[in-house]
Amino acid sequence: MNRIRDHLVAAGLYALLAAIFAATVYPLVWVAGTALNPGDTLLISSMLPEHPTLRHFGRLLRETDFALWYRNTMFISVSNMLLSTLLVTVTAYAFSRLRFKGRQVGLMTLLVLQMFPGFLSIMAIFVLLLQTGLLNTHLGLILIYAGGSVSFGVWVMKGYFDTIPRSLEEAAIIDGAGRADVFFRILLPLSVPALTFVMLTAFIGPVMDFILPQIVLRSSDKMTLAQGLYGMVSDKMNSSFSLFAAGSVLTALPITVLYMFFQKYLIHGLAAGADKG
């Protein structure tokens, strides 16, 4: 009886896994198929086109500002990745290794901040950028992303720093190393999984985001990929779904490559951040 129940449970789990896999892959295949379809509308598109073509990719590069949007997005993503990683690692090191007044309150504050959706602060962000002259600038958007990433990233990095024995730092300090030497030569090299996770999430965030760029960036020469691609399908009379699909495929490529290349580090980083508080 127990054996039959185990088989039924296993079959149910496999069925659930297959359903999740199908729900995940189905829209991706549709987007790729639409990008390769000869037509321009969804009505004549098929998931597996009979005569696939790369024509829409060529049109995307020739007839739109896709290259400009791509360059703007990569600049914002890479800048945010570097600045966010610096802020997160330094802050996490302070919370993990130093004992100071208000430490617990600071940690709890960062935890609570993660529970509020980012768009709740859009009005305050808009006024702040307007008063500081950073509205409609990439720098203003990068600073918003970097500040917003601290609350989540600090908990991940702190959790990983807590797993590294303090005896390694104490031995280095006895040998004459300073705080900076311990941080850059011992802690960071030993924290590659968590560091990779923080860097990747900071890089991917601006690529996926649409609301903040739409609020902050007002001129066409500063638009990001999300804004540009949305413009292709927002017009009710002249939507270009095939170009949109081709742009989506090109946008997803670098993210997919990064995930595949750093997959093992991402898993370790998430696990380490989850088992320490």
Side-chain angles (χ1 to χ4, degrees), residues 26 38 103 192 195 219-220:
Y26 181 77
R103 176 176 172 274
V192 171
L195 201 60
S219 56
S220 59

Side-chain angles (χ1 to χ4, degrees), residues 111-133:
L111 184 63
V112 171
L113 286 175
Q114 298 179 46
M115 302 175 185
F116 293 95
F119 60 81
L120 288 181
S121 58
I122 280 182
M123 290 302 298
I125 289 173
F126 183 85
V127 173
L128 182 63
L129 293 178
L130 183 63
Q131 292 177 343
T132 55

Side-chain angles (χ1 to χ4, degrees), residues 80-95 106-115 142-159 161 197-199 201-202:
N80 175 54
M81 179 184 70
L82 297 176
L83 182 58
S84 296
T85 304
L86 175 65
L87 294 176
V88 166
T89 52
V90 172
T91 308
Y93 175 78
F95 279 118
L107 282 172
M108 287 301 106
T109 302
L110 291 176
L111 184 63
V112 171
L113 286 175
Q114 298 179 46
M115 302 175 185
I142 292 167
L143 292 178
I144 294 172
Y145 283 136
S149 67
V150 171
S151 58
F152 173 70
V154 162
W155 275 94
V156 175
M157 285 301 301
K158 177 188 174 300
F161 284 159
F197 174 77
V198 170
M199 294 179 72
T201 52

